[in-house]
Amino acid sequence: MNKKILFNEGLLLLVTLIWGLAFIFQDIGMHYVGPVTFSMARSIVGVIFLFPLGLINYLKKDVRGSFFNYHELIGGLILGLVTACAMAFQQLGIRHEGAGKSGFIASLYVIFVPIIGILFHKKTNFIVMISVMLAITGLYFVNINDSHFELGIGTIYLLISAIFYALQILFIDKFGPHSSTINLAIGQFLVAGIIQIPIALIAEEITINNLVGGLPSILYCGIFSTGVAFSIQIYAQKNIPVSIATVIMSFEAVFALIFSMIILKSHYGILEFIGCLFLFLAILIVQFNYKKKIKA
């Protein structure tokens, strides 16, 4: 196997581990601050962490133009809007569903990538439809409550978040090759943080004590999940096909479930485990669609 591809696959696997653990910190952080406040704060922390790195790269250039090139500016604006929605809805979903189960539902962005592609006149096939049916079955099992199916509001929030994260992957695939990894990440989270400030101030109660209480979770998600992991994602996606990237990143759901049981001592019923298994199978099977295209 090509060493460069193997190296970037390893980087993305590290990203999935960071994101899987981030679900735990996102759950803990919700004990102190609201979902939009948390997403806003982690975005701002991410920018503070990344900006010195971007400035160093800028100062190293032999010929200095503007800090952001055209692709970084447009890409940052679009990705910032999409990411702000994705993070906020994911936080809302975690508040209702918990970290472990949320990881699997949120990871359905992998299935939404080819489905959204249909809107851009890209053909789908039977494999994608099988994955969709498996995902629907999985959602059924994880939402059974006392033998009655109930599609909870948390699940709906997480599905909306998955759609936005699918859009994020597609836009990174578009703007990433023409952009500095750090600059695109800075632009993305700067826009995401700014967008969420007025919403957080209007819709949620923000106090110093609550921010201090949630600071460890905010710092982890801001520095590692937002700053480090998203930057690595952008860098790695430049060097491997988006199909390989999505199948590796889908494993964040497994890490989220494992960490939730170990750290949060979460307990899940047999039907919830069956539902998670169906969701994971759906996430994996849809990748055969991409592999076929690569071989072609």
Side-chain angles (χ1 to χ4, degrees):
M1 181 179 288
N2 186 295
K3 289 184 179 180
K4 185 175 183 180
I5 292 178
L6 187 63
F7 173 73
N8 285 285
E9 288 178 347
L11 287 179
L12 281 181
L13 188 61
L14 174 62
V15 167
T16 64
L17 193 150
I18 293 173
W19 282 344
L21 185 57
F23 276 96
I24 310 305
F25 283 101
Q26 288 174 258
D27 194 332
I28 295 172
M30 298 296 289
H31 298 160
Y32 301 96
V33 297
V36 180
T37 301
F38 188 91
S39 298
M40 172 200 69
R42 69 178 283 190
S43 297
I44 293 173
V45 169
V47 172
I48 293 172
F49 172 78
L50 290 169
F51 183 75
L53 301 178
L55 184 59
I56 290 172
N57 285 340
Y58 175 73
L59 295 176
K60 284 182 178 179
K61 292 180 180 179
D62 294 331
V63 180
R64 297 195 195 113
S66 59
F67 189 87
F68 294 107
N69 66 31
Y70 173 79
H71 294 283
E72 292 163 358
L73 183 62
I74 301 301
L77 287 171
I78 295 174
L79 282 169
L81 177 60
V82 169
T83 302
C85 296
M87 289 194 299
F89 278 111
Q90 187 178 90
Q91 283 299 133
L92 285 165
I94 291 174
R95 183 169 65 179
H96 291 276
E97 299 293 346
K101 192 162 66 174
S102 293
F104 280 90
I105 301 173
S107 293
L108 289 177
Y109 64 78
V110 177
I111 295 176
F112 285 124
V113 170
I115 292 176
I116 292 173
I118 296 174
L119 299 177
F120 297 95
H121 308 291
K122 294 182 179 181
K123 293 182 179 180
T124 187
N125 59 31
F126 187 62
I127 291 176
V128 175
M129 302 319 302
I130 291 176
S131 297
V132 171
M133 294 306 297
L134 286 171
I136 292 172
T137 303
L139 288 172
Y140 172 78
F141 279 111
V142 298
N143 284 281
I144 290 179
N145 184 21
D146 296 327
S147 299
H148 297 287
F149 174 75
E150 182 180 349
L151 188 62
I153 187 64
T155 298
I156 295 173
Y157 286 143
L158 290 166
L159 288 173
I160 295 173
S161 172
I163 293 172
F164 279 109
Y165 273 123
L167 289 170
Q168 186 227 30
I169 287 177
L170 292 170
F171 282 124
I172 285 177
D173 193 51
K174 177 177 177 62
F175 293 105
H178 310 287
S179 307
S180 159
T181 298
I182 299 298
N183 282 10
L184 191 58
I186 291 172
Q188 175 180 206
F189 294 110
L190 179 62
V191 172
I194 291 173
I195 288 173
Q196 294 177 96
I197 289 174
I199 300 173
L201 290 173
I202 294 171
E204 299 174 354
E205 182 180 356
I206 304 175
T207 67
I208 297 298
N209 288 338
N210 287 344
L211 287 174
V212 171
L215 188 61
S217 295
I218 292 170
L219 288 177
Y220 176 86
C221 291
I223 295 174
F224 292 101
S225 181
T226 300
V228 175
F230 273 108
S231 297
I232 294 175
Q233 177 201 3
I234 294 171
Y235 172 82
Q237 272 194 233
K238 289 182 181 181
N239 302 296
I240 59 176
V242 67
S243 55
I244 297 176
T246 50
V247 73
I248 294 174
M249 289 188 291
S250 66
F251 277 84
E252 72 175 289
V254 179
F255 288 126
L257 187 67
I258 293 172
F259 286 134
S260 71
M261 291 189 293
I262 295 174
I263 299 175
L264 299 179
K265 308 298 180 184
S266 300
H267 298 282
Y268 301 97
I270 185 64
L271 292 179
E272 288 176 307
F273 274 115
I274 292 173
C276 288
L277 177 61
F278 272 104
L279 290 172
F280 190 57
L281 286 174
I283 291 166
L284 289 182
I285 288 175
V286 76
Q287 304 310 314
F288 288 105
N289 180 56
Y290 294 119
K291 290 179 180 178
K292 183 178 179 181
K293 291 180 181 179
I294 292 172
K295 291 178 180 177

